[in-house]
Amino acid sequence: MTDQIVLTAETAPDAVDETPPSAKLVLTVLAYEGSLTQSRLVEETMLPARTVRYAIKQLEKRDLVDSQISFSDARQQIYSLNGDRFAEADPRPSRP
């Protein structure tokens, strides 16, 4: 198991600010649960499948998530946070 990324306002890249709320929810679930398929993201977020697809597309566009083909079912993608992107994020100053 990989190290869990702690997703906070201070550790997230600036690109997260530009994402819709549904994408932020998907990021949060991926940060806590680790790598998941789209169907599991639908279950965990309780968002419609179409909304999750849109959120993933927005996150991929900003290079915030990675995807790979599932070895157990090649029809599915497994999504995870782009650890490099979050590791290089400079902690932002605390908000008052």
Side-chain angles (χ1 to χ4, degrees), residues 20-92:
S22 59
K24 290 175 184 154
L25 177 57
V26 168
L27 273 178
T28 302
V29 169
L30 288 173
Y32 284 102
E33 299 293 328
S35 301
L36 296 172
T37 62
Q38 180 181 324
S39 58
R40 286 279 301 159
L41 282 167
V42 168
E43 290 174 20
E44 294 294 326
T45 61
M46 293 189 272
L47 294 171
R50 182 177 179 178
T51 303
V52 171
R53 277 193 306 273
Y54 176 76
I56 290 169
K57 191 177 290 189
Q58 294 300 308
L59 295 170
E60 287 181 323
K61 183 171 128 180
R62 291 170 175 82
D63 196 32
L64 295 170
V65 297
D66 292 325
S67 66
Q68 63 183 32
I69 295 174
S70 170
F71 291 118
S72 62
D73 185 352
R75 297 171 294 175
Q76 293 187 339
Q77 296 280 324
I78 298 177
Y79 299 96
S80 58
L81 292 182
N82 180 346
D84 295 337
R85 187 72 191 272
F86 285 86
E88 71 186 26
D90 293 327
R92 298 187 218 170

